[in-house]
Structures are given as C-alpha cells and as structure tokens.
C-alpha cells in the first residue's frame, strides 16, 4: 500500500463528491443473482423492496431476467450508462468489469469482491491493477472487500448485508461511515433496535480509493444528514481525514467515532484484520480532539451520543439540572456528572427557598429531589422543573422518574407537566431516565425527550452535547504563519548545531559555549559562573548520557580541566570513531521545573509535537500531550495546561510559578520549525527544557534527520 | 445519631438473624387500608396476589374487614402474636404500636413511617425514642422511613413501592440490599425488565437499628440467594459492614455494590438526602477491595455483573477467548479487555495453523475471526469454539455474532453448535453479543449463555467473575499479632518523642540526636558525617517547615553553629510561646526515594493507613493507597506495589531498586501501632520516609493525639 506523505500545511483538503454514488439514476449489478439471499441478489431484492426510483440493471450472461427485471448479458449490452455499478464477480471478471464500465463512463463502482490487499501480496498487486484501471477512466471505487452502502431516502441499497432482512432502516438523519462492514451494519441494526433512524451507511472495506474520510466529508455536505457516526481502524491519508473532521466542525455536524486499536493486543488484531496502519493511538485521539470529534468508549456510548445529537441542541455553556424522585439516584447522577466534567451548579438560594415553601421535605439544591411526594402531586414535577430552568438557568435537564415514568396512571400527567415546561423553553435539552414499556417510551420520544434507562449514560451523552457546542462555537484556530525555511544538514547535527538551528527559529537554549580545549572551557565557565554542566560534542554521539558524556555540578576551574579530560577519554573509549567537535560548557540552571518537548513524524499525520513534565512524569506516568504541527501559542498554552502535572508549573507546593507563556511560545515555535524543516525531519528531542519563573530554555537538543522525502 | 467507635481488631462481627423477618408465620399491618394503592393497603394487596402462606393481620380501629381479610381494632385485639409488623401509622401512633407489639412479643417491625432523623433534630429525638422502646422489648426495627422488603419465595411483600404494580419479581437467586427505597426498587424493576430474577429486596431507610450490613450479612446466610446487589450512601458501623463483606467472601457469595457520593457535589447531595456519614470515598473503596466486593461504576454495570454471577462460575485464572464474525468487533473487544485488565492470550501456534487449514481467510490468533464465511458454514462456529477451549484453554468465551445470532435461519444452528461445545466444557463462562428478538434471547439464556448486546459490557462482567474467583480462592489474610500496648502522651508528642514511640514498635528513623546546645549539635554532626539536617524540636511546633524550622545541606561545623542560632531565632519569632526542647541533628540521606506513610482515624472504619510516593505524587497526582489497620507485611507489600509510581521504587530509570520489603515491614508495623495506640490516636504522618536500596527510614514523624475515646 502506498503512503501519502502528509502535506505540511493546514490548507483545507477536499474530499470526494459522492452525490452520484448515493443518488444515482441507474445502477448496474455485475454478477446479478436471481436468489435474493446471494451476494449478487441481495442488492436487487432490497432495492425492489425499498422502491428505488432509478433504473436497476442486472448483468449476468446466463439469464434474461433476474427477480422480475430484464437482465443483460454484458456491460456492453446495457441500454444506458449506469451511474453506479455493483461488482459482485470474482477476480479477473471484476477487473474486466471495471475496464468495461469505465469505458462506458460509469463514475462509481461498489466492489463487493474480496481477495485483494487484505489477503496477501498478490492480492495487493491485483488491487493496484483495479485502481489503475479505474483511474484511467476517472472512475471512483468503493472497496474492494466492502459490504456496500445504503441511502434510505433514495431507496438505494447496493449492499449485501443480511441485516437488512430484519427490516429497512428507520427514518432519521444519522449517517454511518465505517471501515468495517460487519461493524457498520451492527451499528445500523443496534440503532434500529433502539428506534433510532439511520439515513445512510457507507462501508469502505480496503479503501483502495474512497476512504472513510471521503464518506465523512460527503456526509458533512449532505443536507439529509445532521449527525455522523464513524468506525475507524486506521487511517492512511492523515490530512484528508483531518480535513474531513475540520469540515464537519465548520458545518456544525458532530462526528462521533469508534476508533479501535487502543490496546497492544487490539493493534495486533487490527493488523491481522485489515491492511490499515494502526498509528499511534494517542496521536489519533489528539487529532479527534483538535477537531472537536468525539471518541466513544463503547458502541453504546457511540449510539447514546449520536442519538442525543439528533436533537441538534448543543448548549454553550452546558450546565446540568437534575430532577429526581430518589435522593440516591440524585447522588449517583452527581457522581457521574463530576466524572464527566459536566457542571451541576446549585439552584439560587431564593429559588431553593421557594421550592422548600412548596414542599418542605424537598431537597432543592441540585439535584432537586421532589421525593416520592411527587406521586401524590404530579404538579410538583412541572413547578420544580420550571424553576430549574427559569431560576437555575440549566441548559440540560435530566429527570429520574424510573418506574413511575412508565406507570399508566402517572405517565400522561407527567408528560403534560413536562411538555408545558418544554413548550416555554424549547432550547433546552431534556433527558428522562424512566423504566417504561416500549409504546410509552415512543410517546416520550415523540414529544422530544431523550430516553436513557441508566441515568449515568444520559449524563455522558448530555455532556458530549456541551463539548460539541463549545467546539462548534470556537473560532477557527489562528492561521500560524509559516516559519523561515529550515535547511537541515545531510546527517544528524551535533547538539550545538541543533541548538543553532533552533535558535534561528526563536527557540532559546541555556547559555553555553563550544570549547575547543580545556582552557577555553575554564574561561567559558568563569564567564557563566559556577557550577556549570559539561558535555561531549560530537555529531556521531546522539545519546550522550549513555556513554557518560554529561557532567553535572562542575564546581571550579580545576574540576573543569579534569572534566574535559574525562569526557574526551570516555568518548574515545565508547565511541572510538566519533568526530569530536569539542566540549560544550553551559550554565547549570537551578530551581527550574524540568519539562520535555519533542517532535515525532507520524506516518499518517506528519510532524506531531509532544510536551510533558520531565523524568518520571513522562517515563512512569505517561503524562504527555500531543498535537499535530503547526499550531499557535494559544493552542500551545492550552496543551501545557492540560498536562495532569501542570500545577507544578503554575505554583503548586509553594513554588514560584513558571513562565508558561515562554514555554508555550517555545512549543509553538517548535511546531512551526518542524513543518518548515520538511519531510526529512525525523524527530526532535528537547530534554530537559528548563521552565523558570522568567523564560524557558532547552538544556539539550537532539535532531534526527531521515531519508529524503 | 450515635457513632460506634470501631473495634480495634479484625474479630468477626455477627450481623442480625433475619430469618423470622423474611419468612414470618404471621404479619400484622398497623394502619391497614382497604385501598390497595395506599401505603397501608399495598402490602396486603401484594401478599394476597403473591399467595403469602402465613397469616395477614390488618389492624385498623375503623374497619372490620380490609381487602377481604378480618381486620382488628388494635394490637391487643390480634388473635395471635405477629412475628413481623408493618407500621404505616404516623408519629405518636407509631411509637405506641412499637410499645404494644413489643409487649406482645413481636420480634421485627418494618417501619414505613417517615418524619424522623431524616428531617430534623426533633425527628432524631423521636427516632431515639422508637429505638429505645424497641430495645426494651428486644424487638428489631427496619427503618424508619423505609420502603420495606420482599421475599419472593415466601410471597412476603411488606413493601409499599408502586413498582410491584407492574408485576412481581421473576424467579432468581439475587438479593438486593439498599439504603434507598427508590433506588432499590429501581434495581428490582430494571432487573425484571431484563428478565433477571430477584428473590429478595431489603431497604433500610434511616437504619435506626438494622442496617445494610445486616441485610448483606443475612443474604450471605440465606440459602435461597447466590448473589448480593447492594446500594450504599454511607455506613455508620464500619466493623459490622466490613464483617458482613468478609462473611460474604468466605461464603463465596459475590457482593456487587453501588456506593454513591464519590464526588464533592455527590457528597453534598447525600447529606441533604439522608443522615448518613459519607466518609472518605477512597477509604470506602479500599474496604470493598479488601473483601473482594465489587464496586460498580453504573447501575447497568451493577446489573451486568450480578447477572453474570448468577451462573456461579468464577474462573481462576480468568482468560478471555473471543470468537467473532467481524474483525473490527474483535479489535474493539481486545481494547475493552486490555482496559479491564482481562488477559487475552493468543491461541497456541499449532491450533492457529489447524484453524487456518480449515478456513484460510480466518484470523485465528485471539480474537478468533471466523469471518462472514461462518454464515455459509455454521459448523465453523462449533469447530473454532471447541479449539479455543480445548487448545486455547480459555475460561471465558465471548462470541460476537450480532444480527446473525438473531436471524431465524441461523440461530437454531448456532445454538446447536455452541451447545455441543458447552456440553463438553460446562465449567466455562459463555457470553454472547447478539442482536436478536426477545424470544430468541430467552432461548439463548435458557441454554445458559449470558447475553450482552454491547460486547464491551460483557468484557467488564466476565472480568469481574475472575476477580471474584481470585478473591474467593485467596487465603484469609494472616492474623496480625497485636502490637505491644502503646501509651500515648497526654498531648501531642515532639518529633523526638514520636520517633521514640515508633522505634519501640520497630519503625526506624534516620539516625539523629537531640542536642541541647550548639556544641552538642556540632559533635553529633561530626559523628554522623556531613552534610546533616537540623530541625527545631518543640512539642508546640508541629509543622516545622512552615516557620523555616528545617535546615538542609548543613555542610560543616561552622554551619551547624550558625544553623543552631537561626533555628532558635525563627522559633522565637514565629512561635513565641513554644517550649523548645533543643535542636535535632540527623544524617542527611542521599539517593533515597521519598515516600509518605500515614495513619488517619476514619470515623467509620477506625485507623486507616496510607502510603504513597512523596511530594508531587501525593499532592498533585493523588497517587496513594489506603487500607484499614492492622495488616501484615504481605498486604503492605501489595499496597506499595499497587501505587502507580511504584516502578520508581523497583528500579525504573536505571536506579537501584529500593528495599520494598523494609518499606512493607515499616508500613505493617505502623498499622499495628495505630491499633495498639487506641482511639486517642488521631493521626500519624511519616513524611518523608526514605526508601533506600537497603532499609527504609522515617525522616520526620508527627503524631497527633485526640480527645480520650
């Protein structure tokens, strides 16, 4: 599989226009079957059932008629040019079909055929031939090895999943973009089982041409869809993927994603399953966060959040008001809200007093507990909820009514109470936790309430609506000016050379001098003041500490002389052939917080910056933050403040606060440098970076240069 | 509310015998109502419906008959002594009923009546009077302010929840012990909606007498129950609670618990809801972990785990084998297993080769992906699953079949395939992730499969079965010998005195000397070797660093003299009245890992030990572990190794490993000391403790003494 070198800029990426693919006038089925349970028969059966309005053109040399439709012996014999062709024939016949369809001007092929890159090298070569043929004819391919797609509004079902047997999708405005056919149809079926409509499903299989990014990008532009669910194992074209997410954010359409392969064993399984590049999971999460896409932790969470998003209410700021008939459930919900980070501010004191006056045993703080007394006087529900919105100002309301909400004697009155409030405040999100029979649930949903049996799941979904709102309303990040062009040397630069390159980009190092001999070192140390740090300087010795090439706490002139001799002796012993450029003498910084910054080139997303606190925080606690390059100082500062140990930088334990602004400037400049350095930059390590009350300085710098891009 | 001072030993605590409460021969209803929807009418209506075999004795002076039963004007008029009485009359009448029932020999009262300690001080006093009356008659109280209980097998329903209107519980072997009536019945109703049987529910309300610990303790002994679900807001009697959990573990009955009040806002809500002591949530978690009880993170998780436990298969060790028809779902499940900590070892190479020979496109590693090909040849499911158990040896099997598992044309054959495997290996746990209609789900469940639509939820439940198995099969922790009696001084001891007390218990401090004057300090420093640490020594100055009372890096005799003067001057300035006992001189330890150990007296659970790494790890990362005192060295070592930053102690970053055994010995001895010191011990802080390659030493010790217990 070929990898695209990621573009070094944030320029918008345009994904494919899929309108002719999802709403064709005519579709051919190459390998059409009279048996509606065969791969080549299912699409025809489903489209007939769904009332597809376009022409269905079966192709099969052995039949004159298929499922009641005229059947054609070949592509050449077709009475019209199909906009889309489903290819359900094996191997060589599939390639021939692509050639013939392409020659006639068909624009899209949906390739069910398997046995390509997902199997072996020979399959990968055959896949390459398919793609080459399609490109020659400007035809786009979905698949191969894909399950197909559907567009419910058009009755268009070029898909062979058995899950459609159980029923067509319910009406709705959710689209599903999935690399896995089985998982994509599982999502559709799970939504149907919960009464949630899914208007479109696109499964992308091997992604020889069209990718999940194209599917997301198209769904962003399709006016029939409001919400996008996605399933991803790995991404090949990072910029296209990020571009699709960015477009969705700009369009105000939430992307809720299941990205598998978090775990080591999961990554191994993903590689055995598809030909995807699993990528670094933390980097993937950072890309999603950058664009406000939501990463679901489970399939249920994915559906819960997408379902909430169908209301198209994304509150900013989001605060949660809870009304409950059980104090215990109120506490449980409060715990869940804190875990999710969803604020539950208390009701105003005066409003609490008014509710107490209505019902002395109420607990009106928030959660607002109207107690079992609500069973005797259901008007309490309306009056309390009204006060929560009018006085408490909550943007999201969660009501815990459990079985009472389903009781035939209570439910109609509860609906009336809530509906009166909702009519006055239609801009709020309302979720109910009730245990009710199916038909009663449908009534609540028809009224516009979100239903979650488990209130903790409601909290997660409501919180996601606020996060989406914040993302949709955030300004686009400021354009980051391109850096000065960087000329990387042919081979890995020495520490001093690396620091010179970085200094030219405004990234400061600790004051230091390159010293050719011992006396120069003594003079430099004298000018900085003791103690100093001494390091061996060689382009051939990247990891100096490993050979004892760094001396700390060098406290006087005599120690500098001894240190100089020691460093040369160690270099000669452990790295005999290394070119020695001298010894580096630097001021020893005290009282700094040690940080680490770095760049790594991700094969999918290009240069990615990392920042964390040094030492144990990185190595033991894995407390680091990633972000694609480049980015500005505001983003850099937010990254730094999101480190768990950030309080150490901002004055914890009675320390003076560090200069976070200087640290952020350095990080942003590093990200610009990484892009300006181009694809030959393999990695940068600034470790440690000293964060001081004034300023931040790199104490060491390693730049690794890779093959020419 | 009175607090019981926790017993200072681990002696088994016996909870109440509730047999007469849950299986009475006769039950009286004080305040019986002819209306089956009133508080005093519902228990009668439910018992009549459920066919309760004992005598139902309504008491109401205004009626001769209630719901077809003879009604009595007073307790005195009852024709027989009720074993249990439901009290559904207000205030003074309730107290009178307790007196009269007690006088006649009734052993248990279920008090629906509210308006006691949950309301105000006057209510608390009235509750005290109730308890006093009951005690005089040796009668036990459930409640007041409780919803009641049920025992389905006996048809016994002294409960006024409307949730029983929707149907009686399904048959099963789960018991529910809940402090909240509304939440307890929500659990029962949610179980019923999922087809899960619940044999018993006990709600404890204000817990004036019987507590959730009594309910758990009884369910442990009740042969009709295998699994205990519990809901807890706060515990008043820590030893009874811990004793009930310990008894459940010994009986091999899992306790799965929802403990609310994790969050700050949750705790505030809990206090407004009941009169419970919320306690320190981390300590509560530690108590649950100590006894192998499982803390659920959501209601669904609580039910998911209890449901899995009804199979009574607790595998040791637990390994997960996953069979899937979707590679993507396999990866998703692998991620979930890694997050849960449930091992998914790969299939043996030879077995993988055999499966590849059967189906070349299979991915047979684990997850074992038999691909969509399984639809065409369902025997693959049986052959692959058999190999996973016979060759892979997995103790838990999770099969992801999604809609295929529900397809009418496939499900019977899938069941037959799986049943054949299951018959050969009945000792394994089998869970299915299918999307199927209700009646098909019931068939799978009748065959003994656990059903979870979301496979990630199945993983969490299966993992819990292994954790329960490990807990049930673990030996009881070794009895910890009582420590030497400790005589705490009347007031807070000085640092030196604290260290002497601890030294007598085998807890070593850094070598040090108390010095009365500057020359003694110089002599002591000379004997330890420079540099030394110097500290002011006063029983009135507990937190020395705050007044600058600690000097580090004191490097020679002259510096010792200067330091002595500085310390005295600072003490005089910042703590003018303090009694000065001299200056402490100690060896300055280098190369140690700084730890922190402490004891705090929890109002519920008594002395609790804490250990963590020092400084930022405690203060910023909150990376600490708790355990009730006392405990042995094995437990202490496990605590230390469970700290997230523990790799720093065991040789991370190229350091020499610390003497974890010495650290564990110190921690265990501290826990024994805390118990021996008795209830006047308020807290101990050893901060820092230096962990060295050989040995561990407390560098500072603060003991706080409280009021006499």
């Amino acid at each position: 599989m070929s990898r695209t070198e990621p573009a070094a800029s944030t320029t918008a990426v345009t994904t494919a226009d899929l309108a002719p693919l999802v709403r064709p006038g005519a579709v051919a089925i190459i390998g059409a079957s009279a048996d509606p349970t065969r791969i080549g028969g299912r699409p025809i059966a489903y489209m007939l059932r769904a009332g597809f309005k376009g022409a269905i053109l079966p192709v099969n040399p052995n039949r004159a008629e298929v499922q009641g439709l005229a059947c054609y012996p070949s592509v050449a014999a077709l009475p019209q040019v199909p906009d889309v062709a489903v290819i359900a024939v094996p191997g060589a016949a599939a390639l021939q079909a692509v050639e013939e369809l392409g020659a006639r001007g068909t624009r899209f092929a949906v390739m069910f055929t398997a046995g390509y890159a997902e199997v072996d090298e020979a399959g990968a070569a055959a896949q390459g031939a398919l793609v080459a043929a399609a490109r020659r004819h400007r035809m786009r391919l979905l698949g191969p090895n894909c399950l197909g797609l559907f567009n419910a509004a058009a009755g268009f079902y070029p898909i062979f999943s058995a899950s459609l047997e159980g029923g067509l999708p319910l009406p709705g405005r959710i689209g599903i973009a999935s690399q896995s056919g089985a998982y994509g149809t599982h999502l559709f079926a799970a939504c149907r089982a919960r009464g949630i409509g899914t208007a479109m499903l696109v499964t992308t299989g091997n992604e020889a041409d069209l990718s999940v990014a194209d599917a997301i990008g198209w769904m962003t532009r399709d006016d029939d869809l409001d919400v996008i669910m996605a399933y991803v194992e790995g991404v090949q074209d990072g910029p296209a993927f990020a571009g699709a997410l960015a477009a969705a954010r700009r369009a105000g359409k939430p992307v809720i994603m299941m990205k598998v392969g978090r775990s080591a064993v999961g990554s191994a399984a993903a590689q055995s399953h598809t030909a995807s590049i699993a990528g670094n999971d933390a980097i993937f999460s950072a890309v999603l966060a950058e664009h406000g896409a939501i990463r679901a932790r489970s399939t249920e969470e994915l559906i819960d959040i997408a379902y909430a998003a169908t209301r198209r209410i994304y509150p900013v700021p989001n605060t949660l008001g809870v009304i409950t008939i059980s104090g215990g459930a109120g506490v449980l919900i409060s715990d869940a809200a804190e875990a999710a980070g969803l604020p539950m501010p208390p009701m105003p004191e005066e409003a609490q007093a008014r509710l107490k006056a209505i019902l002395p045993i109420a607990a009106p703080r928030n959660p607002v507990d109207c107690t079992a007394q609500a069973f005797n006087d259901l008007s309490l529900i309306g009056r309390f909820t009204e006060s929560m919105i009018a006085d408490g100002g909550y943007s999201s309301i969660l009501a815990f009514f459990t079985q009472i909400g389903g009781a035939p004697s209570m439910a109609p009155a509860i609906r009336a109470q809530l509906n009166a409030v909702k009519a006055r405040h239609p801009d709020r999100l309302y979720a109910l936790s009730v245990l009710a029979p199916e038909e009663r649930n449908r009534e609540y949903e028809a009224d516009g309430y979100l239903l979650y049996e488990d209130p903790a799941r409601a909290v997660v979904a409501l919180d996601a609506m606020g996060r989406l709102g914040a993302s949709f309303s955030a300004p686009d990040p400021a354009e980051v000016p391109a850096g000065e062009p960087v000329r990387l040397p042919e081979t890995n630069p020495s520490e001093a050379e690396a620091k010179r390159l970085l200094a030219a980009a405004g990234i400061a190092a600790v004051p230091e001098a390159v010293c050719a001999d011992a006396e120069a070192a003594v003079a430099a140390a004298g000018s900085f003041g003791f103690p100093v740090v001494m390091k061996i300087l060689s382009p051939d010795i990247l990891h100096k500490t490993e050979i004892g090439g760094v001396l700390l706490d060098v406290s006087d002139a005599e120690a500098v002389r001894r240190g100089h001799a020691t460093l040369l002796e160690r270099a000669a012993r452990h790295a005999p052939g290394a070119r020695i450029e001298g010894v580096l003498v630097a001021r020893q910084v005290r009282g700094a917080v040690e940080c680490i910054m770095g760049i790594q080139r991700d094969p999918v997303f290009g240069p990615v910056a990392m920042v964390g606190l040094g030492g144990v925080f990185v190595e033991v606690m894995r407390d680091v933050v990633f972000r694609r390059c480049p980015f500005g100082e505001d983003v850099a500062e937010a990254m730094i403040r999101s480190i768990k140990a950030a309080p150490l930088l901002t004055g914890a334990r009675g320390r003076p606060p560090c200069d976070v602004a200087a640290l952020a400037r350095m990080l942003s400049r590093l990200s610009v440098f990484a892009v300006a350095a181009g694809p030959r930059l393999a990695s940068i390590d600034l470790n440690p970076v000293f964060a001081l009350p004034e300023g931040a300085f790199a104490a060491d710098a390693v730049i690794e240069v890779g093959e020419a891009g």
Side-chain angles (χ1 to χ4, degrees), chain A residues 379-472:
Chain A
S379 81
L380 288 173
I381 288 174
R383 285 187 284 170
F384 277 47
T385 309
E386 176 64 32
S387 170
M388 291 173 72
I389 297 177
D391 305 321
Y394 304 111
S395 45
S396 295
I397 295 287
L398 172 56
F400 181 84
F401 295 152
T402 177
Q403 316 98 299
I404 306 308
S409 59
M410 310 249 191
I414 291 175
R415 278 177 62 204
Q417 289 287 326
L418 291 174
N419 283 344
V421 177
K422 192 164 175 291
R424 284 189 293 272
H425 308 283
D427 57 334
R428 312 295 156 130
L429 271 168
Y430 298 85
L432 307 183
S433 177
V434 294
L435 274 170
E438 199 52 26
E439 65 276 17
R440 208 153 288 288
N441 284 341
R442 293 288 157 263
E443 289 171 359
Y444 281 118
E445 289 196 317
D447 289 341
Y449 303 101
L450 296 164
L451 293 190
Y452 298 91
E453 181 187 308
D454 191 323
R457 278 168 61 181
V459 166
V460 169
L462 292 173
D463 175 61
M465 296 309 102
R467 288 195 282 141
L468 288 166
S471 166
F472 293 157

Side-chain angles (χ1 to χ4, degrees), chain A residues 566-629:
Chain A
T566 303
L567 289 176
L568 292 181
E569 185 272 323
R570 287 180 181 168
R573 180 145 43 98
H574 297 292
R579 292 160 289 168
I580 305 299
E581 299 182 346
V583 162
L584 202 70
V585 175
R587 185 163 76 199
Q588 180 151 345
V589 176
R590 290 186 180 280
V593 175
E594 287 194 19
C595 299
I596 179 168
M597 279 185 199
I599 299 289
Q600 55 179 286
R601 172 163 297 276
D602 184 81
V604 174
F605 293 107
V608 173
M610 184 204 77
V611 64
L613 264 72
V616 296
F617 290 97
V618 171
E619 292 170 33
V620 179
M621 314 301 267
R622 306 272 169 218
D623 181 16
V624 292
V625 179
F626 295 94
R627 175 92 177 197
R628 287 194 311 149
C629 301

Side-chain angles (χ1 to χ4, degrees), chain A residues 29-35 40-41 44 57-60 63 66-67 71 88-89:
Chain A
I29 316 295
I30 316 302
S33 171
D35 180 346
I44 297 169
L57 307 168
V59 175
N60 185 331
R63 300 195 149 265
V66 159
Q67 299 187 43
C71 183
V89 291

Side-chain angles (χ1 to χ4, degrees), chain A residues 320 330-342 344 455-457 459-460:
Chain A
L320 177 64
V331 181
L332 187 152
I333 294 167
S334 303
D335 287 354
E338 180 161 303
L342 176 55
M344 280 183 60
R457 278 168 61 181
V459 166
V460 169

Side-chain angles (χ1 to χ4, degrees), chain A residues 198-589:
Chain A
T198 49
M200 190 179 288
L201 166 68
V202 177
T203 74
T204 55
N206 285 9
E207 301 197 342
D209 177 18
L210 293 170
S211 69
V212 76
D214 291 302
I216 293 170
W218 170 252
M219 290 177 185
T220 292
R221 287 177 271 160
D222 190 323
D223 291 336
D224 284 356
L225 304 176
D226 294 331
V227 178
I228 301 166
M229 294 169 117
Y231 169 90
V232 171
E233 289 169 10
V235 166
Q236 295 173 46
D237 182 345
F241 182 77
L245 296 183
R249 186 181 82 84
R250 278 193 298 271
K253 290 196 186 178
V255 178
I256 307 115
M257 186 170 296
M258 170 60 67
K259 158 68 168 64
V260 297
R262 262 175 217 268
S263 57
V265 56
S267 283
Q271 261 145 37
S272 79
H273 172 227
T274 73
S276 293
I277 302 160
N280 179 319
D281 194 72
I283 291 172
F284 199 95
S285 274
V287 172
L288 295 190
E290 178 185 343
H291 297 291
I294 298 218
R295 184 166 184 178
R297 292 166 297 183
S298 69
T299 305
E300 283 186 338
E301 191 172 294
L302 175 56
I303 298 174
D304 285 347
I305 295 174
Y307 164 60
T310 58
R311 295 292 176 272
R312 299 182 65 193
I313 295 174
Y314 304 108
V316 181
N318 197 11
T319 57
L320 177 64
V322 174
I323 180 159
T324 178
I325 55 164
S326 154
V331 181
L332 187 152
I333 294 167
S334 303
D335 287 354
E338 180 161 303
L342 176 55
M344 280 183 60
M347 288 277 281
E349 295 290 344
E350 319 80 67
Q352 290 193 41
R354 277 196 297 277
L355 296 183
K356 272 279 193 194
I358 296 172
L359 179 67
I361 62 167
R365 194 171 184 277
N366 187 28
V368 173
D369 182 0
C370 59
T371 79
Q373 191 58 33
F375 313 156
N376 294 330
D377 177 5
L378 290 170
S379 81
L380 288 173
I381 288 174
R383 285 187 284 170
F384 277 47
T385 309
E386 176 64 32
S387 170
M388 291 173 72
I389 297 177
D391 305 321
Y394 304 111
S395 45
S396 295
I397 295 287
L398 172 56
F400 181 84
F401 295 152
T402 177
Q403 316 98 299
I404 306 308
S409 59
M410 310 249 191
I414 291 175
R415 278 177 62 204
Q417 289 287 326
L418 291 174
N419 283 344
V421 177
K422 192 164 175 291
R424 284 189 293 272
H425 308 283
D427 57 334
R428 312 295 156 130
L429 271 168
Y430 298 85
L432 307 183
S433 177
V434 294
L435 274 170
E438 199 52 26
E439 65 276 17
R440 208 153 288 288
N441 284 341
R442 293 288 157 263
E443 289 171 359
Y444 281 118
E445 289 196 317
D447 289 341
Y449 303 101
L450 296 164
L451 293 190
Y452 298 91
E453 181 187 308
D454 191 323
R457 278 168 61 181
V459 166
V460 169
L462 292 173
D463 175 61
M465 296 309 102
R467 288 195 282 141
L468 288 166
S471 166
F472 293 157
S473 62
D476 280 340
E479 272 296 312
V480 182
E484 293 292 313
V486 174
R487 276 196 60 84
L488 290 180
E490 289 306 303
T491 56
N492 292 332
S494 69
E495 178 181 344
E497 198 176 343
K499 285 179 176 171
R500 274 194 299 274
L501 284 165
L502 292 164
I507 298 162
V510 175
E512 62 184 17
V514 178
C515 305
D517 59 32
E519 288 317 307
V522 170
S527 77
F528 297 143
F530 290 98
V532 294
V533 180
M534 299 180 69
K535 307 180 194 179
I536 192 73
L537 195 58
S538 163
D540 301 318
I541 303 174
L542 279 187
H543 297 288
K544 290 179 276 290
T545 44
E546 288 170 14
I547 66 151
V550 179
L551 303 177
L552 301 176
D553 278 313
V554 184
S555 56
D556 56 32
E558 187 44 40
V560 170
R561 283 190 196 92
R562 279 202 311 276
H564 189 270
T566 303
L567 289 176
L568 292 181
E569 185 272 323
R570 287 180 181 168
R573 180 145 43 98
H574 297 292
R579 292 160 289 168
I580 305 299
E581 299 182 346
V583 162
L584 202 70
V585 175
R587 185 163 76 199
Q588 180 151 345
V589 176

